Amino acid sequence: MSTTHTAIVTGGSAGIGAEIVRQMLDAGYEVVSMARRAPDFSHARLHNVQVDLLDAQATQQAAAEAAQQFPITHFVHNAGVIWPNLLPEVKLDELQGLTQIHLGSAIQITQACLPRMQDGQFGRIVLMSSRGALGLPTRTAYSATKAGMVGMARTWSLELAAHGITVNVVAPGPIATDMFYDVVEAGSERETSIAKGIPVQRLGRADDVARAVMFFCDPANSFITGQTLYVCGGASVSSVTI
C-alpha cells in the first residue's frame, strides 16, 4: 500500500468540512474537496471539484472523474443541509433532496472510489451523521436521513471489512458553524440556552469534530469499523433543545 493517502471530503469549503481539509493537509494527505464552491484557502495538495451534490447526475460525473484522476484511499462525506420543518409543513421534495445529499451522493462517491480501495486492500470511509439522528423537533427529513447513514455505514462495514476498508460515522451535536447559525441566531438567548443545556456547557467547534474524523481515518485504526462516535459534549446521553 502506498504511504500517500488521498481523500475526498464533501462540503470541504466551509465549517466542519474546511477544518477536516486543513487537518488532513497538515497530516500530509492529498485532499479533493467536493463542494458547490472552492475553499477560501489554497494548498499545493488541495484540489477542488465544484459540484452540487443535490444533483445526482452531476454528482455521478464528478465522482467518476475524481476517482479516475486521483488514487482515492479515504472518503469523508461531510456535506449536508438541514431544511427544518415541523411535521405538518414537511414536503416530500425536502425528504428526497436530503436523501440525495446525505445518502445518495455517499453511495455514488463510494461506488466510484471502491474499486481502487479494494484493489489496494485499504480504505477509510467516514460518514457525517448528527446527534439529531436520535430525534429533534423540526428535523423529520434531516433526522431520517442522518439516521439512515448509521445503518448504511454498519452494512458497508460488514461488506468491506475483508478488503481492509473501515466504515465509521461521526455524529456531531451543536457545533458553532454557519449551518448552526442558519437555524439559531448568533448571540441570541437561544444560543446561550443551548450551550447551557449541553453537559460540557459549551457549543462544539469544527476542530472538535475534525479530530474525531481524523481518528477514524488513521491507517493504524484498522480494528474499528461500523461504529458511531457522538461528538456532542454529552448531548446524546442528556437532553438538549435546539
Side-chain angles (χ1 to χ4, degrees), residues 10-114:
T10 62
S13 60
I16 293 171
E19 181 61 24
I20 293 169
V21 168
R22 290 188 186 96
Q23 291 195 20
M24 284 189 152
L25 291 170
D26 288 345
Y29 287 71
E30 201 90 11
V31 182
V32 181
S33 170
M34 294 184 68
R36 287 181 299 173
R37 62 183 185 275
D40 61 3
F41 56 92
S42 59
H43 192 283
R45 285 183 273 105
L46 175 60
H47 313 275
N48 300 306
V49 176
Q50 290 182 243
V51 59
D52 184 353
L53 298 179
L54 284 166
D55 184 331
Q57 184 174 350
T59 300
Q60 189 75 28
Q61 181 176 345
E65 291 176 356
Q68 183 176 21
Q69 185 176 357
F70 301 98
I72 304 299
T73 55
H74 292 62
F75 170 40
V76 179
H77 186 43
N78 163 79
V81 292
I82 296 177
W83 294 348
N85 260 327
L86 290 170
L87 177 56
E89 284 75 48
V90 172
K91 299 175 179 62
L92 286 183
D93 61 353
E94 294 171 347
L95 176 61
Q96 291 162 356
L98 294 186
T99 297
Q100 166 56 27
I101 195 168
H102 295 154
L103 301 174
S105 66
I107 293 171
Q108 290 176 298
I109 297 169
T110 300
Q111 287 175 334
C113 299
L114 197 54

Side-chain angles (χ1 to χ4, degrees), residues 187-211:
S188 65
E189 291 184 9
R190 189 178 176 203
E191 179 186 359
T192 301
S193 175
I194 291 169
K196 287 183 177 179
I198 298 170
V200 301
Q201 298 282 292
R202 71 170 175 89
L203 297 176
R205 301 183 303 267
D207 63 293
D208 293 319
V209 183
R211 282 191 295 272

